[in-house]
Amino acid sequence: MSPRLRKVTTASGATAVQIVRKHRGKVTVLEHLGSAHTEAELTALLAAGDEKLTDYGAAEQLELELGLPADTAAPPRARTVVGSRSSVLIDAITESWKRLGFADVINDNAFFRLVLARLVEPTSKADSLRVLAELGIEPPHHNTFFNCLIRANERDYRGKIAENCFSHSVATTGISLLLYDVTTLYFEAEKEDDLRQVGYSKERRVDPQIVVGLLVDRTGFPLEIGCFEGAKAETHTIIPVIKTFQDRHGVTDMVVAADAGMLSAKNLKELDDAGLRFIVGSRQTKAPHDLATHFRWNGEYTEDGQIIDTITPKGVKRLDPHRVKVRREPVWSAEEHPDAWRVVWQYRRKRAMRDEQTLNLQRNRALAIIDGDKPGKKARFVKVTDEEKSFDEKAYERAMKLSEFKGYVTNIPAGTMSATEVIGSYHDLWHVEQSFRMSKTDLRARPIFHRKRDAIEAHLTLVFAALAVSRFMQAATGESLKKIITSLRPLREFTGQVGGQDITFDPEVAGEAREIAAELMPGRFAGH
């Protein structure tokens, strides 16, 4: 059935008008138009609904659904819709922008509108004009947006945003633990340049790309973002981003957690030399030597969840092989073990089952290649000797033996942080991964259509700001950004003209939408 208008009496005694659709006996509310407290407001609201129904292709249903006699309706010239806007959503985003302090340091309405449009519906700069118009905001000329991106670099908007993000994190979560990860953003371009280069892509693409490093607090709130050449190795990005963060805020006492991709002897030394503490995922290939004492005294048996706190060499040089003669694992300290780091290993049966399934799939693929059932591409566990292929049984058994272990390398003594706390801190890394997923899906950081480095940097500043606002809104409400947008966007404020006078009325905000709005705008909805 086509959409129709419906009048509903609210708890406050007002008359709400909604656009609804009835299908198979179920009524679905498509849009809340607002609530009227007087006959004049109701007349204007019905006029707004009349025009909205035209958009829905069902204006002819107006009098049928409401049952209004023709003589009670205001004449067409007396009831005219002047305009409408998604006031609740716009005000919620504006309030979040202010609560983060961004409005105090960035006096640029065009930049804020770009952030707002990106939060609501990520799209190109030019198409953001459509998004703003649909929200009820008069869009500026498209050149205004491109000029504001030039200002973003010239006036260091990123630095100002980063300062306020830092202050917010210190006041809420604290920066004792920071999380770092990288991603790649690709371009719709055929040729490479000094920045946009073909490199290792997490999505296995062959397009020119850039590498983006993101530093967040333990809740995933963004603190620093860095842009690097597309062919740059991940391990070469963490130090510049952290040093920028340190120089900007004068921070020295913090713990940095990153995955195994950041694990290089040079990185760990630089972090340690800078006085920073770190927790980095260890590569599984190091397990046999690190756990040599455990295997010597316990065999291959390990209890589910068992933690082994030991040491690992800083570089390629092996540790003293005679240490396995002592059953007790060494307690790491910088003074007693200058050539080693502390490493915590944990055995999890659930991880072992998952990894073993993967290894068996790799084993089957290797055997199929050896038997000639599959093309002879390079595959794990395929050993080639004098052009003859055979299955590497020892490598397979070694991988199966180590599949259940996960290692965590750190320079934090056991007296400062227990092994359990080390593992827990590392597992907070899912927050930075969540932020990256948001920046690439909810906020559509990619693909990027800019060509010059200044424009690309400005685009990342925009994404950085939008990511901060979105994380703030999610933390305040406990809801996803998508849920916030879909709940608040339909709530529109209408302005109608009755008898030559403009009457503006707010939408009826109730139920779940009201709870979300109250968290984002407590002063406006408190006590209602």
Side-chain angles (χ1 to χ4, degrees):
M1 185 177 291
S2 300
R4 301 181 178 188
L5 288 182
R6 182 177 71 171
K7 292 191 300 181
V8 179
T9 301
T10 68
S12 62
T15 301
V17 178
Q18 304 168 334
I19 296 178
V20 301
R21 175 183 284 119
K22 188 174 182 180
H23 181 63
R24 294 183 178 177
K26 181 179 179 181
V27 177
T28 301
V29 178
L30 302 178
E31 190 169 337
H32 294 274
L33 298 181
S35 299
H37 297 81
T38 65
E39 286 298 324
E41 289 181 353
L42 180 59
T43 299
L45 192 54
L46 292 176
D50 197 354
E51 292 195 4
K52 292 292 291 183
L53 277 180
T54 301
D55 295 337
Y56 280 105
E60 72 280 358
Q61 299 292 341
L62 178 63
E63 291 187 4
L64 175 63
E65 177 68 15
L66 295 179
L68 292 175
D71 58 358
T72 64
R77 288 172 296 182
R79 52 189 187 116
T80 305
V81 177
V82 177
S84 70
R85 61 194 291 267
S86 296
S87 58
V88 180
L89 177 58
I90 294 170
D91 294 348
I93 294 175
T94 302
E95 183 66 15
S96 299
W97 179 264
K98 291 178 179 178
R99 288 171 69 181
L100 284 169
F102 293 165
D104 298 329
V105 296
I106 299 178
N107 184 23
D108 192 329
N109 194 43
F111 184 82
F112 168 68
R113 288 186 175 184
L114 268 179
V115 172
L116 188 152
R118 178 158 289 274
L119 286 164
V120 174
E121 186 180 333
T123 184
S124 67
K125 306 297 182 298
D127 199 38
S128 293
L129 301 175
R130 172 192 58 80
V131 176
L132 292 173
E134 290 178 356
L135 291 173
I137 299 174
E138 184 175 351
H141 191 274
H142 71 274
N143 285 344
T144 302
F145 279 164
F146 290 99
N147 290 335
C148 91
L149 292 180
I150 296 175
R151 293 194 298 272
N153 286 334
E154 293 176 344
R155 301 177 186 179
D156 190 24
Y157 287 179
R158 188 183 300 181
K160 295 174 181 178
I161 292 167
E163 289 284 357
N164 282 69
C165 286
F166 176 79
S167 299
H168 174 75
S169 182
V170 169
T172 54
T173 305
I175 58 163
S176 58
L177 174 65
L178 301 184
L179 314 171
Y180 181 79
D181 204 352
V182 300
T183 191
T184 53
L185 304 180
Y186 70 89
F187 292 78
E188 299 290 350
E190 295 181 0
K191 296 182 179 180
E192 298 179 84
D193 52 37
D194 291 341
L195 177 62
R196 303 177 300 169
Q197 301 172 354
V198 175
Y200 171 73
S201 170
K202 291 180 178 292
E203 299 166 332
R204 302 184 184 278
R205 301 184 67 96
V206 293
D207 305 278
Q209 64 180 25
I210 60 173
V211 176
V212 178
L214 183 65
L215 189 69
V216 306
D217 68 17
R218 69 188 314 152
T219 67
F221 188 78
L223 296 171
E224 197 73 51
I225 194 168
C227 176
F228 303 92
E229 296 82 3
K232 199 175 192 70
E234 293 181 2
T235 54
H236 295 166
T237 65
I238 183 171
I239 300 300
V241 171
I242 290 176
K243 284 187 175 179
T244 298
F245 177 81
Q246 282 188 293
D247 294 343
R248 193 190 302 279
H249 307 295
V251 176
T252 56
D253 187 19
M254 60 185 185
V255 178
V256 180
D259 68 15
M262 301 300 116
L263 182 61
S264 73
K266 183 174 181 293
N267 275 352
L268 300 189
K269 183 178 185 304
E270 288 193 36
L271 289 172
D272 192 58
D273 290 345
L276 295 174
R277 292 169 291 173
F278 60 79
I279 303 172
V280 181
S282 181
R283 295 190 177 91
Q284 223 169 42
T285 52
K286 291 195 171 187
H289 188 69
D290 295 350
L291 298 172
T293 299
H294 170 80
F295 291 139
R296 163 78 181 271
W297 294 94
N298 299 279
E300 296 184 9
Y301 174 76
T302 309
E303 295 182 356
D304 187 29
Q306 182 172 345
I307 295 173
I308 302 165
D309 199 335
T310 183
I311 60 176
T312 188
K314 285 185 175 180
V316 295
K317 182 181 178 181
R318 292 295 183 92
L319 299 176
D320 181 7
H322 297 291
R323 80 183 197 282
V324 299
K325 295 181 179 180
V326 180
R327 185 164 192 164
R328 182 179 60 85
E329 295 288 351
V331 179
W332 180 86
S333 72
E335 296 76 20
E336 293 183 25
H337 305 93
D339 297 325
W341 302 118
R342 179 187 178 196
V343 61
V344 176
W345 290 91
Q346 184 182 38
Y347 172 85
R348 294 300 300 269
R349 186 166 291 119
K350 185 177 180 179
R351 182 191 301 121
M353 293 174 61
R354 183 179 64 247
D355 291 350
E356 286 172 7
Q357 287 179 346
T358 301
L359 289 171
N360 281 328
L361 289 174
Q362 293 174 337
R363 176 181 182 275
N364 294 339
R365 175 176 174 78
L367 291 174
I369 291 174
I370 292 168
D371 293 340
D373 297 333
K374 285 191 175 182
K377 296 181 180 179
K378 185 177 180 181
R380 192 177 184 183
F381 307 130
V382 175
K383 184 167 59 174
V384 181
T385 305
D386 295 332
E387 298 186 358
E388 289 201 8
K389 299 177 183 142
S390 61
F391 184 71
D392 194 337
E393 193 70 42
K394 288 185 178 180
Y396 173 74
E397 290 177 357
R398 184 167 58 249
M400 290 291 282
K401 178 181 178 181
L402 301 176
S403 63
E404 61 268 20
F405 286 98
K406 173 68 177 177
Y408 313 85
V409 180
T410 181
N411 62 345
I412 306 173
T416 303
M417 182 179 285
S418 69
T420 302
E421 290 175 314
V422 169
I423 297 171
S425 296
Y426 181 88
H427 286 176
D428 280 336
L429 275 173
W430 73 270
H431 286 298
V432 68
E433 294 170 357
Q434 185 185 51
S435 287
F436 268 134
R437 285 195 297 273
M438 181 183 302
S439 68
K440 294 200 294 185
T441 54
D442 291 349
L443 303 183
R444 294 292 192 279
R446 55 161 173 85
I448 301 180
F449 297 98
H450 299 291
R451 293 183 296 107
K452 297 182 179 180
R453 179 159 197 147
D454 284 350
I456 293 170
E457 292 281 8
H459 175 81
L460 289 180
T461 298
L462 173 64
V463 171
F464 184 48
L467 182 58
V469 175
S470 65
R471 296 298 304 196
F472 176 86
M473 295 174 73
Q474 289 186 122
T477 63
E479 301 288 353
S480 68
L481 177 64
K482 182 179 180 180
K483 179 66 175 292
I484 295 170
I485 300 300
T486 55
S487 297
L488 302 186
R489 188 174 187 175
L491 305 177
R492 299 186 72 88
E493 167 195 277
F494 282 89
T495 300
Q497 193 175 79
V498 179
Q501 293 185 342
D502 288 348
I503 299 176
T504 300
F505 44 89
D506 295 327
E508 180 71 17
V509 185
E512 198 171 39
R514 187 177 189 85
E515 293 177 5
I516 292 173
E519 294 294 344
L520 297 174
M521 298 176 285
R524 177 171 168 181
F525 290 93
H528 289 276

